[in-house]
Amino acid sequence: MGVEVKVEGLTKSFGRANIWSDVTLTLPPGEVSVLLGPSGTGKSVFLKSLIGLLKPERGSIVIHDTDLVKCSEARLYELRKLFGVLFQDGALFGSMNLFDNIAFPLREHTKKSEAEIRDIVLDKMNLVGLTGSEGKLPGEISGGMRKRAGLARAMVLEPEIILFDEPDSGLDPVRTAYLNQLIIDLNAQTDATFLIVTHDINSAQTVPDNIGMLYRKHLAMFGPREVLLTSDDPVVSQFLNGRRQGPIGMSEEKDTAQAEREMAELDGELEGLPPLKPQLVASAGLPERKAVARRQARVDQMMHTLPQAAQDAIRASRDEAAREAERTATRTRRLPDTGATDQFSTQDAGWAVPQSDPGRHRPRT
């Protein structure tokens, strides 16, 4: 299983410009978390701080009882091996072909033979649907393929923590949907800890176990998806519903009078909570995600503290999920015994996820 990442009181500035202050959250081990926020709120800076590329002025980032902010460079170098990172543009070496790009961490951090490296690289390339593209240069492929190559490289060391910096930027909605399913399937197979920075609202509503939001240089909220998606906090509600009306403006923050006028325009349209979108599940043939049960147990413990409308919406979403699971099971039982199912597969359109051996991609222990 992935590891817990505990962040307390983290503060980062560039000169006199404060990016965010006193950020405190815990990434639960083995779960998928998403970090949201208006543009320019420092989400990518937060990711770079987690892996020690940027040094915060205050606070702590604790992994395996070690504070990455205060540890030695030698210890930080070792802890970075726990991470895999998918940067916004893939961050591939332009002069290397895809095979050598993906093999780079193995050659840099391990003593594996070239035969072993080849097996691992080809396995990861197959995992993200890039089989046959080993000899291509980054400049010869599409942006979506570069992202997949970056994801393959992020996984070659079998990391326990994978960070995704806007993995859906530049992708069309269909490819974004395939990428989201791939992320869920990878988590089902590895049970690693994932943190995703994204602006895509549909991804934020359907992929993560936990959601956090940066706003006005602070962490507005962080918690299980059910809590954030039913929140009546004006900032969280506005962003997750993609509305113009609310505290967030083009320059991040509106004046109070303007925000009140816009909210008045809705005139009761926001009464009641919309149904929660169902969370994506792992593709057929893969194990159930263990993270789901862990998250739901935490939600059950805090249910009594939530507004009644939120409780009702959460229970309704669980009932619908149970009904859908039963309908899916019924459809699958009716299929001919050919090994086929009617389940969505990321094998379609070039997104390949091997489903025959779920244990192949577990993190090292």
Side-chain angles (χ1 to χ4, degrees), residues 176-190:
T176 297
Y178 280 115
L179 176 62
N180 289 343
Q181 187 65 50
L182 177 59
I183 290 172
I184 288 295
D185 289 348
L186 289 174
N187 182 258
Q189 294 176 89
T190 64

Side-chain angles (χ1 to χ4, degrees), residues 12 20 33 37 88 153 156 172-173 183 205 225 229 285 298 337 339 360:
K12 178 61 186 171
W20 27 254
S33 300
Q88 283 188 26
R153 186 178 63 184
V156 291
D172 62 76
I183 290 172
Q205 293 175 333
R225 66 185 299 271
L229 293 176
R298 293 200 308 276
D337 188 15
R360 293 168 61 201

